[in-house]
Amino acid sequence: MARLLVFCESPVDFETIQGLVECVLRERGPDWVKELLEGPHDAAQEFRDWMPDGEGRTYFDLHKLSAYASRHRIRVPQGHFSGQPGEPGALMGRTAFLIARELTLNGTEVDAVILVWDMDDQGKERRMGLAQASTEARALVPFSIVLGCPDPMREAWVLAGFEPEPENEAEQARLATMRQELGFNPCEEAHRLAAKKEHAKRSPKRVLEVLTAGDRAREVRCWTETSLVRLRARGRQSGLTAFLDEAAESLVPRLSGAPPKPPPEQD
């Protein structure tokens, strides 16, 4: 069984990450992986396991890293990274990877660590910080590392998978109105929705809420029923394409022993 440990910010973040990773494993992994993941629930559980944090969550909360470190009696070095000051997020990443490393040292099997963190309005700096932490960690840990940098936030990734259902005139009308209001298609250029206030015109949270009419099940279908072709095509500037590619290159060989299949071709 492959054991995956996720660091993220919320339950909905974890749900999105889980769905995207399993989409990658189905489409880029060998046929037997797809059969397991699409088969009975018990079969999928025997193939991969999402590690709980010991506090009732199915993921490790990035807001609680200090508590996790204290619980495992980890002292996190505050120094530089390869002689350079840490960029935003570098120390957070170092802490997360040290926590995962401590688990492996205590006998817990960890095949891969996935860390996903919203970039908000610091995309360049936060990506550099996570790169510093992961570069340092990869020389010290036995597990694979996958980084996710939603730019500006998770909702941009979800919007990449939204397409009005052909028979749903209300959805088509909402998207048309939103395109007119914004001056661009928010599903194709979600990275431009950079407002931090939730009710601002260019807030990705507001746009997603409007397009899905607040229907949580409809939101979930954006990443569970949309092809990797569309997600990769629309997610180049929001960090989604990079995450899908890194997940394929790191996780498929680690979990299946086979190289990833080529990415599906764009229509």
Side-chain angles (χ1 to χ4, degrees), residues 27-28 228-229 232 245 249 260-266:
E27 296 197 38
R28 303 287 303 277
L228 282 183
V229 172
R232 293 182 78 256
D245 289 347
E249 295 299 325
K261 295 177 181 177
E265 295 183 4
Q266 186 172 345

Side-chain angles (χ1 to χ4, degrees), residues 207-250:
V207 173
L208 181 62
E209 176 79 11
V210 170
L211 292 183
T212 61
D215 183 344
R216 177 66 182 154
R218 180 67 182 92
E219 179 180 335
V220 171
R221 295 207 301 276
C222 291
W223 68 77
T224 57
E225 297 183 2
T226 303
S227 70
L228 282 183
V229 172
R230 172 158 291 170
L231 294 177
R232 293 182 78 256
R234 289 179 167 183
R236 298 189 187 283
Q237 296 191 69
S238 67
L240 176 56
T241 304
F243 175 72
L244 296 174
D245 289 347
E246 189 172 341
E249 295 299 325
S250 297

Side-chain angles (χ1 to χ4, degrees), residues 14-24 26 50 223-224:
F14 172 73
E15 185 180 13
T16 307
I17 295 161
Q18 182 183 35
L20 289 172
V21 165
E22 298 205 348
C23 179
V24 168
R26 287 196 304 271
W50 301 93
W223 68 77
T224 57

Side-chain angles (χ1 to χ4, degrees), residues 36-212:
L36 278 179
L37 293 176
E38 294 183 349
H41 178 70
D42 289 347
Q45 287 291 86
E46 290 179 3
F47 169 64
R48 55 93 186 98
D49 181 42
W50 301 93
M51 294 181 57
D53 73 339
E55 297 181 3
R57 302 175 191 85
T58 49
Y59 64 96
F60 283 65
D61 190 337
L62 285 174
H63 303 107
K64 297 183 177 296
L65 291 182
S66 294
Y68 296 142
S70 295
R71 190 173 82 200
H72 292 287
R73 299 182 179 179
I74 298 170
R75 295 186 64 182
V76 180
Q78 304 294 305
H80 285 34
F81 294 77
S82 298
Q84 298 297 318
E87 295 287 344
L91 186 59
M92 178 194 72
R94 173 184 279 168
T95 305
F97 298 135
L98 285 175
I99 291 167
R101 179 173 178 265
E102 184 66 19
L103 291 173
T104 66
L105 292 175
N106 289 330
T108 300
E109 182 180 352
V110 179
D111 290 287
V113 170
I114 302 168
L115 193 160
V116 177
W117 185 37
D118 286 350
M119 297 292 97
D120 294 333
D121 57 354
Q122 292 183 286
K124 180 180 178 181
E125 295 82 2
R126 290 185 176 187
R127 282 190 292 272
M128 290 175 61
L130 292 181
Q132 287 177 311
S134 61
T135 298
E136 175 184 77
R138 285 188 171 101
L140 304 172
V141 300
F143 46 77
S144 299
I145 294 174
V146 177
L147 300 177
C149 302
D151 199 350
M153 58 188 65
R154 177 197 74 97
E155 285 78 6
W157 286 9
V158 181
L159 283 165
F162 181 85
E163 189 68 24
E165 297 173 342
E167 71 282 2
N168 193 324
E169 294 181 359
E171 283 193 356
Q172 296 176 40
R174 288 197 294 270
L175 180 56
T177 299
M178 190 61 69
R179 291 181 65 168
Q180 184 176 21
E181 178 184 336
L182 296 170
F184 60 90
N185 187 334
C187 304
E188 296 177 355
E189 299 182 87
H191 63 282
R192 296 176 63 180
L193 301 170
K196 294 183 70 173
K197 293 184 178 180
E198 289 192 19
H199 300 293
K201 179 179 177 179
R202 291 200 176 191
S203 163
K205 293 181 183 295
R206 181 191 76 89
V207 173
L208 181 62
E209 176 79 11
V210 170
L211 292 183
T212 61

